[in-house]
Amino acid sequence: MMPAIPRLSLVLMLAVSLMASVPMSCMAQSRPAVDGIVLEGGKPIAGVELFLGKFPGKNEPCTDVGELIPVSADGSFSWTPARERERTDAPTDPGAVIAKLTALCIRHPAKGVLIGVMLFMRRYDPVAIRLDCDVARPHRGGNGPNTVSSMLGQPQYCEAAAAN
């Protein structure tokens, strides 16, 4: 017969291993908090519209319109973070590698729809981001933390920085 202490250790190890395999519910960030400004050559753009690209969508990130983002007369915009309850299989490190893509799209009255920025966020690391967008200065993406190069090397028009 086993002594009480080793038997208790065995029961505890068995309980911990069973708990590790049970999906748990936790809150995940589905999009970051953002404050930003959209300009053209340093000036506000009359008639500009911003929207979040809808995922999953077509291969082009700004072809499917998701949520519309209001833009003030001075070009500033913001949105609050969105969080959702989701289940995870890793209670000690939930979703460490699970990430979410957020595309900010700019509908310019003369230039059409442009990719503002593609943000790649780890869902369990809530962050706030500052976006400075100027449609007169395209770049090839990857500028600032949490940004990724857009599909097919398309230019992006926003630079991302961690908000203070």
Side-chain angles (χ1 to χ4, degrees):
M1 180 149 203
M2 263 182 156
I5 298 294
R7 215 176 340 174
L8 183 60
S9 297
L10 183 62
V11 169
L12 282 174
M13 287 187 329
L14 182 59
V16 167
S17 68
L18 285 174
M19 284 177 49
S21 64
V22 174
M24 297 181 66
S25 179
C26 60
M27 291 302 286
Q29 177 173 274
S30 58
R31 72 168 188 225
V34 170
D35 285 305
I37 192 161
V38 59
L39 305 169
E40 183 168 23
K43 297 181 179 128
I45 310 162
V48 71
E49 294 177 330
L50 300 180
F51 64 92
L52 299 178
K54 195 172 177 182
F55 286 102
K58 299 174 184 152
N59 289 333
E60 299 294 321
C62 291
T63 55
D64 293 333
V65 178
E67 182 180 344
L68 297 175
I69 306 299
V71 180
S72 68
D74 69 352
S76 62
F77 63 91
S78 66
W79 68 76
T80 57
R83 297 178 61 78
E84 59 192 31
R85 184 157 298 283
E86 82 178 17
R87 299 188 64 76
T88 180
D89 292 330
T92 57
D93 189 17
V97 296
I98 298 172
K100 176 78 175 175
L101 210 67
T102 301
L104 173 65
C105 305
I106 303 168
R107 184 176 287 121
H108 187 280
K111 297 180 180 181
V113 177
L114 310 169
I115 298 171
V117 69
M118 301 287 291
L119 299 169
F120 184 75
M121 310 301 305
R122 286 177 47 161
R123 294 181 55 110
Y124 297 93
D125 289 338
V127 296
I129 294 185
R130 168 80 187 161
L131 291 177
D132 291 310
C133 309
D134 193 326
V135 298
R137 292 189 331 236
H139 52 81
R140 290 287 172 204
N143 291 338
N146 299 310
T147 61
V148 294
S149 295
S150 55
M151 284 72 162
L152 305 173
Q154 296 166 319
Q156 295 183 40
Y157 293 87
C158 303
E159 293 188 36
N164 294 331

